[in-house]
């Protein structure tokens, strides 16, 4: 991994980086900084139904789950990788009493978010030297199966304070579940049984091997970590491991692989694991790829270490790019594709929008159309509903912006430091790092808090999954299911 030059804010930036939120899903780089807050209650007189004019899109493609009678929440930021849940069954009036879990199951280390497919919840965690993929019954919480891989990975010393479990969120499609571990194990498992269909170990397959000191993982300054690949050799991986979530897009599984012998981004055939294409040769970031169709072409939109790119889904061809270099390659938040626009914010950067168009020769090009410092965020991602953008900045303030020009319409609240929101039935569900769930109205006219409730007494640096009227939350030591009624 090539080291980026350090500046005067290097120490602060590195410490910030260890607070990762998705895919750090978030999606994600989801390392936790533990904190607590007093339980809040809904503001007096707060409306219980949103009154805004924004509407959710319609979609008929994804499967319907038997758990909660709703659409599967099948990968990081949902089936369309945009944070919007469809065909849910939330109560017309949000429960005023504290939520009581329907079930709770213990988990090991990690900040992988839950996903739900065909009545099962899929999780990734770590217990000592073993990284585990597990499936639970979405209705009862019963453990259905688990599969483990040996893992020898420890991050930079600062990062050890926040755990060394997996951060990437699984993906579900067509009876298979895909997981990417912190040291680079990508695997395809049968969703019903957990049987291994295929595996790929990124350091061994795509990185350049180096001597392995003391036959164990070791950290190289503030640059990378070397992990074992066998035969007394090791290979470099990102300083805090692989934190981006795999993306299922048509017949492919796409992941940020890195590596001198491969490419930055790789597409695997979903059923066989065969490499369909490699793209680029540059550092990976800590973000996750998302799906888009722009100008009639299906594209993978993903931040790399030095830039934000659009890749043709069928071939991996670079269609467009914009420079987006951050110190330590620490782009963490997930981009959002909305029509011809792509939005992204990162450490020290405003929320920015680029219009992706074609020139006279039919070639794609990206041009920045607006920036807004109000929605600058180190970890959090935004959600687009209709013609409006909703998100929370690092100060905990929620904002609504006009998608067309980026102008701020309203701001309000104080909701913590991190959240990656989801939207359902004209409501925004925002779980912060302190275990507090805020519900806001999708209202472009005004800031509209509906209710605030605690769902965990532990840190919750993940994004929840919503299927029907069931909410699945990953806290530090457990997976919890709530029924909203």
């Amino acid at each position: 991994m090539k080291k980026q030059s350090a500046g005067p804010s290097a120490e602060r930036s590195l410490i910030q980086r260890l607070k990762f939120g998705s895919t750090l899903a978030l999606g994600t780089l989801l390392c936790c900084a533990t904190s607590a807050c007093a339980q809040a209650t809904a503001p007096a007189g707060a409306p219980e139904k949103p009154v805004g004019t924004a509407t959710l899109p319609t979609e008929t493609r994804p499967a319907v789950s038997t758990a909660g009678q709703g659409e599967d929440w099948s990968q990081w930021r949902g089936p369309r990788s945009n944070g919007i849940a469809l065909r849910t069954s939330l109560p017309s009036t949000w429960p005023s009493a504290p939520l009581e879990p329907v079930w709770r199951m213990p988990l090991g280390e990690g900040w992988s978010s839950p996903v739900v497919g065909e009545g099962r919840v899929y999780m990734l965690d770590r217990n000592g030297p073993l990284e585990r993929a597990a499936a639970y019954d979405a209705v009862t919480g019963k453990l259905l199966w688990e599969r483990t891989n040996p893992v020898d990975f420890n991050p930079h010393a600062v990062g050890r304070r926040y755990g060394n479990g997996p951060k990437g969120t699984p993906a579900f499609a067509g009876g298979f579940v895909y997981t990417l571990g912190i040291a680079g194990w990508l695997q395809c498992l049968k969703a019903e049984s957990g049987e291994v269909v295929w595996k790929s170990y990124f350091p061994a397959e795509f990185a350049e091997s180096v001597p392995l000191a003391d036959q164990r993982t070791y950290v190289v300054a503030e640059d990378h970590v070397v992990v074992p690949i066998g035969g007394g050799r090791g290979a470099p991986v990102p300083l805090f491991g692989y934190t981006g979530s795999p993306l299922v897009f048509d017949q492919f599984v796409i992941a940020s692989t890195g590596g001198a012998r491969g490419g930055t981004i790789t597409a695997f055939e979903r059923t066989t694991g065969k490499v369909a294409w490699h793209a680029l040769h540059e550092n990976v970031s800590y973000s996750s790829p998302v799906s888009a169709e722009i100008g009639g072409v299906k594209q993978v939109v993903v931040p790399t270490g030095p830039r934000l790119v659009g890749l043709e889904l069928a071939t991996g061809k670079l269609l467009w790019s914009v420079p987006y270099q951050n110190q330590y390659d620490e782009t963490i938040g997930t981009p959002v594709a909305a029509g011809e626009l792509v939005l992204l914010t990162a450490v020290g950067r405003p929320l920015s929008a680029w219009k992706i168009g074609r020139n006279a020769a039919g070639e794609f090009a990206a041009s920045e159309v607006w920036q807004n410092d109000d929605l600058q965020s180190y970890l959090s991602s935004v959600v687009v509903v209709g013609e409006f953008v909703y998100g929370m900045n690092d100060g905990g303030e929620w904002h609504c912006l006009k998608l067309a020009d980026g102008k701020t319409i309203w701001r309000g609240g104080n909701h913590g430091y991190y959240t990656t929101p989801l939207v359902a039935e004209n409501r925004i569900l925002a779980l912060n790092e302190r275990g507090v769930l805020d519900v806001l109205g999708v209202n472009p006219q005004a800031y509209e808090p509906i209710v605030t409730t605690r769902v965990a007494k532990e840190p919750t640096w993940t994004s929840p999954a919503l299927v029907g009227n069931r909410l699945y939350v990953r806290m530090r030591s457990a997976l919890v299911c709530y029924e909203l009624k």
Side-chain angles (χ1 to χ4, degrees):
M1 306 292 293
K2 182 180 178 182
K3 185 176 180 179
Q4 306 301 330
S5 60
S9 61
E11 182 178 354
R12 174 180 177 272
S13 185
L14 181 63
I15 292 172
Q16 279 185 319
R17 180 183 185 180
L18 273 301
K19 295 179 180 177
F20 333 111
S22 149
T23 135
L24 284 92
L26 305 172
T28 8
L29 208 56
L30 290 166
C31 295
C32 75
T34 59
S35 60
C37 67
Q39 181 170 347
T41 57
E48 295 179 332
K49 292 291 289 182
V51 296
T53 59
T55 56
L56 300 182
T58 58
E59 177 68 51
T60 59
R61 179 164 45 93
V64 174
S65 172
T66 57
Q69 300 300 311
E71 176 189 39
D72 284 342
W73 193 257
S74 55
Q75 60 186 343
W76 172 243
R77 303 221 71 192
R80 289 159 295 278
S81 56
N82 63 359
I84 295 178
L86 301 179
R87 296 197 294 279
T88 56
S89 51
L90 298 179
S92 58
T93 300
W94 195 268
S96 57
L99 298 179
E100 294 294 333
V102 176
W103 53 259
R104 173 189 175 112
M105 291 297 290
L107 292 176
E109 280 191 282
W111 292 108
S112 169
S113 293
V115 298
V116 184
E118 294 183 351
R120 303 179 194 90
V121 186
Y122 304 98
M123 290 297 306
L124 193 60
D125 66 359
R126 177 176 178 175
N127 292 280
L130 295 177
E131 200 167 59
R132 180 184 71 142
Y136 300 86
D137 185 281
V139 175
T140 67
K142 178 184 176 182
L143 177 64
L144 300 175
W145 56 255
E146 55 186 0
R147 294 293 178 269
T148 60
N149 284 313
V151 60
D152 183 357
F153 178 85
N154 284 289
H156 186 280
V158 180
R160 293 185 201 122
R161 294 180 293 175
Y162 305 101
N164 57 3
K167 311 299 191 296
T169 293
F172 168 84
F176 300 96
V177 60
Y178 305 87
T179 66
L180 176 57
I182 195 167
W185 274 112
L186 176 68
Q187 60 184 355
C188 170
L189 307 172
K190 289 186 178 179
E192 185 173 359
S193 64
E195 179 185 342
V196 177
V197 180
W198 57 262
K199 287 185 177 184
S200 176
Y201 186 43
F202 295 170
E205 296 186 34
F206 306 123
E208 183 176 355
S209 69
V210 297
L212 186 64
D214 299 324
Q215 307 306 305
R216 292 297 306 274
T217 294
Y218 63 92
V219 178
V220 179
E222 293 177 2
D223 189 76
H224 62 269
V225 174
V226 174
V227 298
I229 60 173
R233 306 289 289 179
V237 303
L239 191 62
F240 294 97
Y242 289 93
T243 63
S245 302
L247 169 71
V248 173
F249 195 1
D250 288 354
Q251 73 270 35
F252 300 120
V253 177
I254 294 118
S256 299
T257 51
R261 293 188 288 114
T264 307
I265 311 298
T266 303
F268 302 84
E269 293 181 357
R270 283 206 295 118
T271 56
T272 67
K274 180 181 178 182
V275 172
W277 49 258
H278 290 302
L280 313 178
H281 285 86
E282 55 205 42
N283 286 5
V284 296
S285 73
Y286 294 95
S287 184
S288 300
V290 299
S291 59
E293 184 168 337
I294 305 172
V297 177
K298 291 183 178 181
Q299 303 182 24
V300 176
V301 176
V302 59
T304 68
R307 51 183 171 166
L308 173 66
V309 304
L311 307 172
E312 185 177 52
L313 174 64
T315 65
K317 174 185 175 183
L318 178 65
L319 299 176
W320 56 268
S321 72
V322 294
Y324 209 77
Q325 180 71 67
N326 291 305
Q327 198 167 45
Y328 303 111
D329 298 325
E330 56 182 339
T331 300
I332 297 172
T334 308
V336 175
E340 295 181 329
L341 297 181
V342 173
L343 283 65
L344 183 62
T345 180
V347 55
R349 288 178 176 262
L351 179 68
S352 300
W354 294 268
K355 182 177 181 180
I356 315 302
R358 294 194 193 224
N359 60 22
E363 299 170 330
F364 281 92
S367 57
E368 189 174 79
V369 292
W370 55 258
Q371 292 185 350
N372 190 317
D373 282 304
D374 290 343
L375 257 181
Q376 180 182 130
S377 178
Y378 178 52
L379 302 174
S380 304
S381 303
V382 300
V383 63
V384 174
V385 183
E387 300 303 314
F388 304 94
V389 183
Y390 300 87
M392 189 185 81
N393 64 16
D394 287 342
E397 290 183 307
W398 273 90
H399 291 74
C400 174
L401 278 55
K402 291 181 66 176
L403 178 63
D405 59 15
K407 302 295 185 184
T408 298
I409 300 174
W410 56 253
R411 63 170 59 86
N414 184 358
H415 295 275
Y417 176 66
Y418 161 75
T419 187
T420 290
L422 64 86
V423 167
E425 299 182 23
N426 275 344
R427 279 172 274 190
I428 300 169
L429 279 63
L431 178 65
N432 72 15
E433 75 283 358
R434 301 172 297 191
V436 175
L437 179 72
D438 290 299
V439 182
L440 312 174
V442 177
N443 185 351
Q445 300 170 10
Y447 169 63
E448 184 189 343
I450 296 174
V451 70
T452 294
T453 185
R454 178 174 290 283
V455 296
K457 295 181 180 179
E458 301 178 334
T460 47
W461 290 82
T462 60
S463 183
L466 177 66
V467 176
N469 70 334
R470 291 202 169 203
L471 187 72
Y472 301 89
V473 174
R474 202 272 197 234
M475 62 185 72
R476 181 171 57 191
S477 64
L479 172 65
V480 182
C481 171
Y482 295 98
E483 190 169 22
L484 307 173
K485 59 183 180 180

